[in-house]
Amino acid sequence: MELKKFILIIFLLLILKSLLNNNKRKEKFNKFDWLKKDFPNGNLAFSNINIIKEKNINNLDKIFSSSDLTLFVTSWAVPSHKLLNDIIKISQNYSDIKISIIDLDLINRKKLSDNDKKILKKIYGSPTIVTKNKEFIPGDHDIEKLKSFIN
């Protein structure tokens, strides 16, 4: 029991350290630089993927309606990196599917509309997928389940 508590405390401290480091570096680099590290060969240059870099997002409904899938990810969450690998595979095989990617750390929550604030409260964590029909799906599904949400 004590070992579990110790491991949990270490895990929480690592997350806190990561968050603090991200806050210190916010202005030094673009939040999406971590994507380049995961995809150094430029694999994200597909015409069906839209990386949203705006800090002042003001209409999530518009983004949802223009995309088949919208991904909410963070640079510090390992599941976000795994999900992006799966999404790359999907986008290569289904070029007609439009995908938007939003980094949750980049969103300026103070400038969101009331409707967008309500939508963000539905985000389960990172990563989360939102379909065109506004279905909120935890991003820890395997690639076959992700494909089923598209079809």
Side-chain angles (χ1 to χ4, degrees):
M1 186 67 170
E2 291 298 316
L3 180 62
K4 287 182 181 179
K5 286 181 183 178
F6 177 75
I7 291 172
L8 179 62
I9 289 170
I10 296 296
F11 179 71
L12 292 173
L13 287 173
L14 288 172
I15 290 174
L16 180 62
K17 179 183 177 204
S18 176
L19 288 171
L20 291 173
N21 284 339
N22 274 347
N23 286 337
K24 289 177 188 173
R25 294 182 287 153
K26 255 184 190 176
E27 299 188 25
K28 292 183 182 175
F29 71 100
N30 182 313
K31 277 294 189 181
F32 284 97
D33 283 349
W34 63 274
L35 291 175
K36 293 176 189 169
K37 183 174 62 176
D38 281 356
F39 306 103
N41 298 329
N43 290 342
L44 279 174
F46 299 115
S47 60
N48 59 334
I49 294 180
N50 178 27
I51 298 176
I52 300 171
K53 298 179 183 181
E54 302 161 25
K55 287 185 179 183
N56 297 324
I57 294 172
N58 60 7
N59 193 344
L60 289 172
D61 284 330
K62 184 177 178 184
I63 294 169
F64 297 152
S65 65
S66 66
S67 302
D68 295 304
L69 296 176
T70 302
L71 279 60
F72 289 90
V73 296
T74 56
S75 59
W76 51 267
V78 173
S80 291
H81 296 249
K82 182 185 178 321
L83 175 66
L84 283 170
N85 281 315
D86 291 342
I87 290 298
I88 292 300
K89 290 174 188 170
I90 289 172
S91 70
Q92 288 171 332
N93 296 324
Y94 299 92
S95 59
D96 57 328
I97 301 214
K98 293 185 175 152
I99 301 166
S100 293
I101 302 173
I102 301 172
D103 189 327
L104 285 167
D105 293 333
L106 189 63
I107 296 173
N108 184 347
R109 294 173 189 264
K110 293 178 182 174
K111 295 191 177 185
L112 289 174
S113 68
D114 289 340
N115 186 49
D116 287 348
K117 286 178 184 176
K118 288 177 188 174
I119 290 171
L120 279 184
K121 284 183 181 178
K122 295 179 183 178
I123 302 294
Y124 301 118
S126 176
T128 297
I129 303 165
V130 182
T131 67
K132 186 175 237 157
N133 300 325
K134 293 187 190 172
E135 296 173 82
F136 290 76
I137 305 156
D140 57 357
H141 291 290
D142 63 45
I143 194 164
E144 294 306 316
K145 282 188 181 176
L146 289 175
K147 287 178 187 176
S148 73
F149 292 121
I150 296 167
N151 298 329

